[in-house]
Amino acid sequence: MMSDRIVVANARMHNLKGVSVEIPRDRIVVFTGVSGSGKSSLVFDTIYTEAQRQLIETFSSFARARLPKLSKPDVEEIRNISTAIVIDQKRMGTTLRSTVGTATELYTYLRLLFSRCGKPFIGPSFVFGFNHPAGMCPDCTGLGKRIRIDPDLLLDREKSIREGAIVHPDYKVGAWNWREMVAIGLFDVDKKLKDFSENELRDLLYAEAIPVEKRHGAGTYTKNYQGVVRKLERLHINKAKEQLSAARRNAYEKYFVYSACDACGGSRINEKARSVKLNGRTIPELVNLELSDLGAFLGTIEGDVARPIVRKMQQMLSYMVEIDVGYLSLNRAVATLSGGESQRVKMARQLGCDLVELMYILDEPSIGLHPKDIDAMVRMLRRLRDKGNSVLVVEHDPTVIRCADHAIDIGPGAGRGGGEVVYAGGVEGLLQSAGITGEYLRRRAAGGGARKAWTEAIEIRDATLHNLKNVSTRIPRGVLTCVTGVAGSGKSSLIHGVFLDQHRDAICIDQSPVGRSSRSNPATYIGFFDAVRREFARATGTDPSLFSFNSRGACPVCKGLGTISVEMSFLDEVKIVCDECEGKRYTDEVLALRCKGKSIHEVLKMTAEEAQGFFEEREIGRKLRILCEVGLDYLEIGQPLSTLSGGEAQRIKLAAELHKAGNIYVMDEPTTGLHMADIEKLTRIVRGLVDNENTVIVIEHNLDVIRQADWIIDLGPEGGSKGGRIVCEGTPEEVMRCPESHTGRYLKGA
């Protein structure tokens, strides 16, 4: 037995075909392969799951009795694993109360510093806490934000209440709130709102509690009426957008606006806490500084009491700056961080951990990073390794792959065509291997060829959102434009915040989830599941609704989900396969019904490629071909959308929008989660959209995609306050000649 290696024997999770591999400990080990090859099945579903299961086994019997017994992954044996810590791209919090300061504990140290060294002294550290009654602003309860409704957007004053004058979905004609308002008789529901008096309108919108008593046949209806605005604010006031359903989130974004709290100015703490100063600065001033500037300020604080606190804070801040998130502030809500920013903050936090011989698992840490930022991230990976830890990285980026000590290539293809170890060994050996990864790593960078000319453009003038500094630019029509720049340079502010706000008809294909529940799948999203159910109904002489796992045919125990969720007290939620249907979602009666010898479950387990040859209906075949066209041929058509990666989610959105002409497409880092071979396919699809006279705008860091652009808008030169302006714009060749452009430098050197 080799204790210096993690030994995995005969792993069979998902598409893994009896994988056996030895992984060096205390090294950076990169797992690569085409999208869907089985990398995540090996690293997360096998190694990490087993590490978590064995950790729980070390708990006391008291604790274990209150936790579900985790199933052992489908693997014969795993030896020599350590306690595993996943550093992924999941959001660190969804509430408005979670900030960069609270997530990193920097705000805890800052409160402690002010309680001991601030003037005047007002009490212990909790009196500066915005989550504590003694410290929070009483007006916004520590949120720093007020959520308000614009009545002009909420009301159609040309209509009466009965006609649907309140346009919010909760008050649409026929909805419960609408029926209640019509029934109580408090307002003239047939009078147009423009004819309401000032007092009537104020009661309609802002009344806190108006007693209502209405007699009916069964007795007396008694209730306090609350104004429309007050009621909607109450439902949403403490929630971030991510906590709402898609329908409510849309309503939320359309009618609700955030504004800084008038009382505390967005500082979250009360007047007494705001009055305390340290070296002439208050807490509100410090939490709004960029982290790099906060570190410089801490260097001015002296004294024996402050020294250990300042030293700890400066250490953490140095990690944050080193990994290129120094443009953030402590007051930044973590719900607003991108997946890449969240991952880098987590990584910086781990560098302050004194535990060793841990197993860190990172899921594509290069996502969302400019090549300059990737270099900084690689240095952090080496720091984690050099502290005596094993670092397992699932990755596609060539720079990260080349920095590894050991590489494991999974493939050779995706889905059922993958699940095998193609190569395991040193990185130099990977470069010479016969697999797809080795082939693409050996290729010389290809140029973009001829650039498509343009004559018309969409203008953006004097954009000042976030860190943008009066940015004016032109986005060419009918060509491929890449918006580039380091993390935090202002790319998303320019395109998502300004451009899309002005061009709401543009098709935005981003990294947001395509389905929040496990009920949605490629068949339902692309829109051919109804046709599939009709095929089964014709073949079996039954009703199509019987083949819906949301209706009569669903398993009564799991309600058609196939799994049962179990809440764990202090660990992540665990999903257990339903014992009744064994994960098949349907009742035995439905599963017994066959179409061309297959049950509905067996059909939904087919990949898009396999399903093409099964169905005769032309519309089903056309939509399956599109899935294959965007490189998702390996996806099972019944696979829950909630299990898709960001890159897969983006491509399935793209599949739903292909073969249209004359549109504006905005893509936010479409190469996320894609192998080099898949990026080549994506590039062909994007060029096809341009050839079809569409305008394509891509926010991207991948140099292979940038080289193919007809036009580049490069922002920076750095992130945060040091960014927010256009460094250069032009063809890739012109950008390469700009000495100030980091993008140009990496294009030239690649």
Side-chain angles (χ1 to χ4, degrees):
M1 183 176 71
M2 301 175 65
S3 59
D4 62 339
R5 293 177 178 269
I6 300 167
V7 179
V8 180
N10 199 20
R12 298 175 298 273
M13 289 296 294
H14 305 311
N15 68 330
L16 298 180
K17 297 171 182 173
V19 166
S20 297
V21 67
E22 293 183 355
I23 305 165
R25 291 174 55 87
D26 305 330
R27 296 289 186 271
I28 298 174
V29 182
V30 67
F31 295 78
T32 189
V34 298
S35 303
S37 60
K39 304 181 297 296
S40 294
S41 296
L42 176 60
V43 177
F44 291 98
D45 298 331
T46 303
I47 297 173
Y48 172 66
T49 300
E50 179 63 6
Q52 189 183 44
R53 186 187 72 84
Q54 292 194 23
L55 176 63
I56 291 175
E57 292 297 315
T58 67
F59 296 165
S60 69
S61 56
F62 177 84
R64 295 199 311 271
R66 285 153 180 79
L67 296 171
K69 185 175 176 61
L70 295 184
S71 300
K72 187 178 186 296
D74 192 1
V75 60
E76 184 177 313
E77 184 183 30
I78 302 180
R79 299 196 304 271
N80 306 328
I81 54 174
S82 307
T83 300
I85 296 175
V86 170
I87 304 177
D88 57 18
Q89 305 232 1
K90 290 181 180 178
R91 303 253 179 172
M92 301 171 67
T94 57
T95 71
L96 295 175
R97 297 189 178 277
S98 297
T99 67
V100 170
T102 60
T104 59
E105 297 186 347
L106 280 167
Y107 190 70
T108 302
Y109 287 110
L110 188 64
R111 291 193 289 111
L112 186 63
L113 191 62
F114 266 75
S115 70
R116 294 185 177 181
C117 305
K119 303 294 182 186
F121 175 79
I122 63 170
S125 64
F126 64 75
V127 302
F128 298 97
F130 53 80
N131 289 325
H132 194 284
M136 67 174 56
C137 168
D139 282 47
C140 65
T141 63
L143 290 176
K145 303 276 187 184
R146 298 297 301 270
I147 302 174
R148 294 187 174 89
I149 294 177
D150 185 345
D152 292 331
L153 296 175
L154 186 68
L155 305 176
D156 183 348
R157 298 175 190 268
E158 296 297 321
K159 293 181 178 179
S160 67
I161 292 173
R162 191 185 298 276
E163 294 170 330
I166 305 170
V167 298
H168 191 281
D170 289 359
Y171 287 84
K172 68 180 180 181
V173 175
W176 166 256
N177 288 330
W178 176 87
R179 297 201 308 271
E180 184 181 59
M181 189 170 288
V182 171
I184 61 177
L186 194 60
F187 305 99
D188 186 345
V189 296
D190 294 309
K191 183 164 70 174
K192 297 188 185 302
L193 290 194
K194 66 180 182 180
D195 298 326
F196 270 43
S197 68
E198 186 176 331
N199 288 339
E200 287 175 324
L201 200 59
R202 185 174 59 249
D203 287 344
L204 176 69
L205 297 176
Y206 301 106
E208 292 293 346
I210 299 177
V212 176
E213 191 173 288
K214 190 173 180 66
R215 296 187 179 277
H216 55 84
T220 303
Y221 173 88
T222 306
K223 185 177 176 116
N224 283 333
Y225 169 79
Q226 188 175 38
V228 175
V229 169
R230 291 285 179 261
K231 187 172 184 176
L232 291 176
E233 287 182 343
R234 176 175 58 82
L235 291 173
H236 296 284
I237 192 70
N238 287 315
K239 293 185 178 179
K241 298 175 184 178
E242 290 75 12
Q243 292 177 285
L244 305 171
S245 67
R248 280 198 176 274
R249 188 168 64 252
N250 292 335
Y252 184 80
E253 292 175 346
K254 187 173 181 180
Y255 306 109
F256 284 65
V257 292
Y258 282 122
S259 61
C261 172
D262 296 329
C264 66
S267 68
R268 301 170 177 260
I269 55 178
N270 58 36
E271 185 177 3
K272 188 177 180 182
R274 296 196 304 269
S275 69
V276 180
K277 291 187 176 182
L278 180 63
N279 280 16
R281 308 294 291 270
T282 64
I283 277 189
E285 291 173 326
L286 296 182
V287 297
N288 285 310
L289 290 177
E290 291 188 1
L291 298 181
S292 54
D293 296 331
L294 177 60
F297 169 78
L298 290 173
T300 67
I301 300 173
E302 299 177 346
D304 293 340
V305 175
R307 190 172 294 114
I309 304 172
V310 169
R311 185 166 54 246
K312 185 68 175 178
M313 292 183 71
Q314 285 183 318
Q315 182 188 47
M316 175 58 73
L317 288 168
S318 69
Y319 295 149
M320 301 280 279
V321 171
E322 188 177 346
I323 206 164
D324 284 333
V325 287
Y327 57 87
L328 299 176
S329 66
L330 295 186
N331 206 32
R332 175 80 173 267
V334 295
T336 67
L337 299 181
S338 68
E341 287 170 332
S342 295
Q343 189 171 42
R344 280 178 286 160
V345 170
K346 294 175 188 176
M347 193 182 300
R349 189 170 60 182
Q350 289 301 325
L351 285 170
C353 175
D354 293 323
L355 297 174
V356 296
E357 297 189 7
L358 299 173
M359 182 169 62
Y360 287 100
I361 300 176
L362 292 95
D363 188 11
E364 300 188 53
S366 68
I367 289 177
L369 297 187
H370 189 274
K372 174 178 175 291
D373 303 315
I374 290 176
D375 287 344
M377 187 271 297
V378 166
R379 291 193 293 271
M380 298 300 256
L381 293 179
R382 288 170 174 161
R383 292 271 295 274
L384 286 173
R385 175 200 62 190
D386 294 343
K387 289 178 67 175
N389 301 298
S390 303
V391 182
L392 311 187
V393 186
V394 176
E395 188 54 85
H396 297 293
D397 186 86
T399 302
V400 182
I401 294 173
R402 287 189 171 97
C403 90
D405 304 304
H406 193 85
I408 297 173
D409 189 26
I410 307 295
R416 295 171 190 172
E420 302 175 28
V421 176
V422 177
Y423 173 83
V427 174
E428 289 302 317
L430 176 64
L431 298 178
Q432 305 305 318
S433 66
I436 295 174
T437 303
E439 177 191 342
Y440 276 84
L441 287 172
R442 290 191 297 272
R443 287 187 181 183
R444 292 185 61 84
R451 310 294 176 193
K452 187 177 180 181
W454 55 276
T455 55
E456 298 180 14
I458 305 166
E459 292 195 3
I460 296 176
R461 292 186 177 275
D462 302 321
T464 57
L465 183 67
H466 302 317
N467 68 330
L468 297 177
K469 299 177 175 64
N470 293 306
V471 169
S472 296
T473 186
R474 295 188 302 165
I475 297 177
R477 288 187 179 275
V479 303
L480 170 60
T481 298
C482 274
V483 182
T484 62
V486 300
S489 60
K491 304 182 298 297
S492 294
S493 297
L494 181 66
I495 301 303
H496 287 282
V498 177
F499 179 81
L500 286 177
D501 188 58
Q502 297 173 359
H503 299 273
R504 298 180 181 271
D505 57 335
I507 299 167
C508 183
I509 303 172
D510 58 16
Q511 302 280 335
S512 60
V514 288
R516 289 183 166 269
S517 79
S518 55
R519 296 186 182 277
S520 301
N521 56 46
T524 59
Y525 187 82
I526 300 297
F528 62 86
F529 191 44
D530 286 347
V532 170
R533 292 193 292 113
R534 286 195 299 269
E535 287 258 326
F536 266 86
R538 280 195 294 268
T540 58
T542 55
D543 194 296
S545 66
L546 200 61
F547 301 96
S548 169
F549 41 72
N550 297 322
S551 188
R552 290 190 295 147
C555 167
V557 176
C558 65
K559 305 293 190 293
L561 291 172
T563 58
I564 298 172
S565 297
V566 180
E567 294 285 342
M568 300 186 65
S569 303
F570 48 88
L571 295 172
D572 293 339
E573 179 185 78
V574 173
K575 292 185 182 294
I576 299 173
V577 175
C578 175
D579 289 332
E580 178 71 18
C581 66
E582 298 178 338
K584 296 178 180 179
R585 300 180 140 199
Y586 294 94
T587 63
D588 290 340
E589 291 76 15
V590 173
L591 292 171
L593 300 172
R594 302 276 165 165
C595 175
K596 298 183 182 178
K598 299 281 187 183
S599 69
I600 185 69
H601 168 70
E602 290 170 330
V603 168
L604 290 175
K605 292 292 290 183
M606 288 182 177
T607 65
E609 186 176 33
E610 292 168 340
Q612 279 194 93
F614 183 81
F615 294 105
E616 297 176 3
E617 187 171 318
R618 183 177 300 176
E619 184 63 14
I620 298 177
R622 186 181 70 82
K623 292 183 175 181
L624 285 168
R625 280 194 301 276
I626 292 174
L627 274 177
C628 296
E629 196 175 326
V630 298
L632 296 177
D633 51 304
Y634 62 90
L635 278 190
E636 295 178 359
I637 63 173
Q639 181 176 336
L641 293 185
S642 56
T643 66
L644 300 189
S645 68
E648 288 170 333
Q650 195 164 40
R651 280 184 289 163
I652 203 167
K653 292 178 187 178
L654 182 60
E657 300 292 345
L658 273 183
H659 304 304
K660 297 179 180 179
N663 288 308
I664 300 173
Y665 289 85
V666 174
M667 300 184 188
D668 192 354
E669 298 184 48
T671 61
T672 296
L674 299 189
H675 187 272
M676 291 161 280
D678 299 308
I679 291 173
E680 189 173 74
K681 294 178 186 176
L682 176 72
T683 303
R684 288 198 297 267
I685 293 169
V686 171
R687 292 306 321 182
L689 288 172
V690 172
D691 293 340
N692 206 22
E693 302 305 319
N694 293 289
T695 299
V696 182
I697 306 163
V698 178
I699 302 172
E700 190 53 81
H701 298 295
N702 184 277
L703 296 176
D704 291 331
V705 175
I706 297 171
R707 285 192 196 92
Q708 302 297 320
D710 302 305
W711 196 253
I712 294 175
I713 300 173
D714 191 42
L715 281 87
E718 306 298 336
S721 62
K722 298 180 179 65
R725 64 181 182 87
I726 292 180
V727 177
C728 59
E729 49 190 330
T731 64
E733 291 76 19
E734 290 169 329
V735 172
M736 280 189 272
R737 291 194 291 269
C738 176
E740 197 181 4
S741 171
H742 292 302
T743 302
R745 177 162 58 88
Y746 280 90
L747 278 173
K748 190 187 301 182

